[in-house]
Amino acid sequence: MAIKSPALELRRLPSMGGIGQAAALLGLLLFAAFLGLICVFLPWQYVIILCLASVFPLLAWFSPWAGLFFYLLIALLSPDLKIADLATVVLLIIFSLKIVSTSSKFFLPRQYLVPFLIFIAGTSISLVLAFLFYRNQVPYIYRDGRSFLYWLWLPALYWLTNSTPAGFRKLARTLAAVAALVSIFAIFQWATGIQVIASGRVGALETNGDYQTALTRVQMPGFIFVMLALVWVIVAFAYGRKKWFVAAPIISILLLALYVNFGRALWIWSVAALFLCLFFVGAKRATLMLISLTIIGGVGTVGLSIFKPSIANSISERIFSIADEGGNRTSLGWRKLENEAASSRIASSPVFGVGLGGEYRKWVPELRLFEEHTRYVHNSYLFMALKVGLPATVSILWLIFMSWRAGYRSLGSTKAEDLPLKTAALVTLPAVLGLCFTQPELMNSFSIIFLSALLVILVSGNSIPGDDSLRQSRYRTKYNSI
């Protein structure tokens, strides 16, 4: 008697029957006709979002990681804040239902949970005060409050990774995919002048009130994903995880994406993150990285000066324009006034701030084109303290510091294949926190998702099994040998 292999045995799916097949075909045709109809009346972004929305809940339920990626795509392409917020709520609800159905852990470890709950409590009190005591305007409460919703991604991503090496790597691939998308969209918008990302801006470069129409600047969410990816690839190359012919084109694309943003602070802190790597990769690799960065910088400068002098000039002018900052009506000058007013208001209400949506300074006629200037602060730390008070702000910063410390302490026991990303996360986090002094990253929804992912990477368990002393010995011998 012939023995049938289970591996070769196929299960028969139940037949739909003629009526079922006809109904499915009719439904497909009607859906296609509906999409064709709305293409006539709605912008293409809405059509893409509607298509994704039709399958998004099912995808998120059966494949959470795919759901997370498409959610980030929706958040990036969303032409309206409310669409991104709705997608956030839907995905968090789906993940919560999966947590309940699988009886799995949702919350962070205790040492991270306490400051996180203090932060949530401070935010909730600020929300209540905004409605009942301060009587802040509802649209302003929504615009300020929406960013705090995204901090719920911290425990959600911790659950999704399950603090395992497999989850760690899936999160890494998701971040890499987002960095690639951001780079592609940024370069496309710069090259064509067509604005694809509705929440950003594509236009002439403006420096100290002067517009350079020959240069196009692309502003959009997600450039800190590109910063992390750049550091990650360079560290992977230093560790021998990437060959030079693979790393070189990827690095070129990421550098071009950072260039078209023309963000001076973004450039400075990206370079700072790269130099921080030198303290974590061991003497040999630090030397290799330093030589490689010097060669790349030198060749790039000479090459641009010869073949693309306009790009070289735009970079140098943008960097050295910092020397002209600080006076009246300059970017830094306005921010000094902004910071002084915010600090004064925080001093008068340090515990609860002005509440979500609260204003902290009087209307400035010269800034009338920027209508939100009475409640908006570029400095992330002042912005957050102003809205939810110092206790809540200090608690989330303490959580961030503890996560970084955990990542630093676990670096010696990290598996070789995970080491480049963990090192990149370890040096990118301080760079992003430096960026927060001039940009409201802690109050930006896309940046908060990134920071949550970064913290989860740092605290995720991806150690080599065995004794702690043995693991430290392996690390020192294999990665830090001179």
Side-chain angles (χ1 to χ4, degrees), residues 322-394:
I322 297 176
D324 299 325
E325 293 283 359
N328 293 331
R329 296 178 178 82
T330 64
S331 177
L332 185 57
W334 284 118
R335 293 188 190 194
K336 283 181 178 179
L337 296 176
E338 184 180 83
N339 293 343
E340 289 171 2
S343 300
S344 176
R345 190 67 182 86
I346 292 170
S348 65
S349 181
V351 179
F352 301 115
V354 298
L356 297 178
E359 298 179 313
Y360 70 98
R361 64 172 175 171
K362 296 180 180 179
W363 179 266
V364 181
E366 290 182 82
L367 297 175
R368 60 187 177 277
L369 296 178
F370 180 42
E371 296 181 358
E372 298 182 7
H373 70 268
T374 58
R375 61 180 188 83
Y376 182 93
V377 187
H378 286 84
N379 184 304
S380 290
Y381 308 108
L382 294 178
F383 201 166
M384 182 176 285
L386 190 68
K387 302 300 179 177
V388 297
L390 289 174
T393 303
V394 171

Side-chain angles (χ1 to χ4, degrees), residues 180-383:
L181 280 176
V182 171
S183 299
I184 291 169
F185 281 129
I187 294 170
F188 174 81
Q189 292 179 119
W190 170 72
T192 64
I194 300 172
Q195 184 166 343
V196 177
I197 307 301
S199 58
R201 176 184 173 273
V202 179
L205 174 64
E206 185 268 332
T207 304
N208 297 337
D210 296 326
Y211 286 88
Q212 298 171 271
T213 55
L215 297 173
T216 301
R217 182 182 187 185
V218 177
Q219 293 174 284
M220 57 177 281
F223 277 106
I224 52 178
F225 285 83
V226 180
M227 179 200 294
L228 173 67
L230 176 65
V231 178
W232 182 7
V233 174
I234 291 176
V235 173
F237 170 72
Y239 275 110
R241 308 293 301 183
K242 296 284 185 186
K243 301 298 183 183
W244 70 266
F245 53 83
V246 175
I250 297 175
I251 291 171
S252 300
I253 293 171
L254 296 172
L255 285 174
L256 181 57
L258 292 176
Y259 160 74
V260 304
N261 176 253
F262 280 100
R264 290 170 295 191
L266 181 66
W267 291 351
I268 291 170
W269 288 109
S270 295
V271 173
L274 288 173
F275 278 100
L276 275 175
C277 291
L278 303 178
F279 296 96
F280 296 97
V281 297
K284 282 187 176 180
R285 289 176 178 81
T287 304
L288 174 64
M289 281 187 63
L290 194 58
I291 293 173
S292 300
L293 291 173
T294 303
I295 293 174
I296 291 172
V299 172
T301 302
V302 173
L304 287 175
S305 300
I306 296 174
F307 299 104
K308 283 288 184 180
S310 59
I311 294 180
N313 290 335
S314 65
I315 294 173
S316 61
E317 288 177 7
R318 185 66 178 168
I319 292 174
F320 290 114
S321 65
I322 297 176
D324 299 325
E325 293 283 359
N328 293 331
R329 296 178 178 82
T330 64
S331 177
L332 185 57
W334 284 118
R335 293 188 190 194
K336 283 181 178 179
L337 296 176
E338 184 180 83
N339 293 343
E340 289 171 2
S343 300
S344 176
R345 190 67 182 86
I346 292 170
S348 65
S349 181
V351 179
F352 301 115
V354 298
L356 297 178
E359 298 179 313
Y360 70 98
R361 64 172 175 171
K362 296 180 180 179
W363 179 266
V364 181
E366 290 182 82
L367 297 175
R368 60 187 177 277
L369 296 178
F370 180 42
E371 296 181 358
E372 298 182 7
H373 70 268
T374 58
R375 61 180 188 83
Y376 182 93
V377 187
H378 286 84
N379 184 304
S380 290
Y381 308 108
L382 294 178
F383 201 166

Side-chain angles (χ1 to χ4, degrees), residues 158 160-170 418 459-463:
Y158 182 80
L160 196 57
T161 61
N162 198 26
S163 194
T164 62
F168 175 90
R169 290 164 199 146
K170 288 177 181 178
D418 300 328
V459 303
S460 287
N462 42 77
S463 300

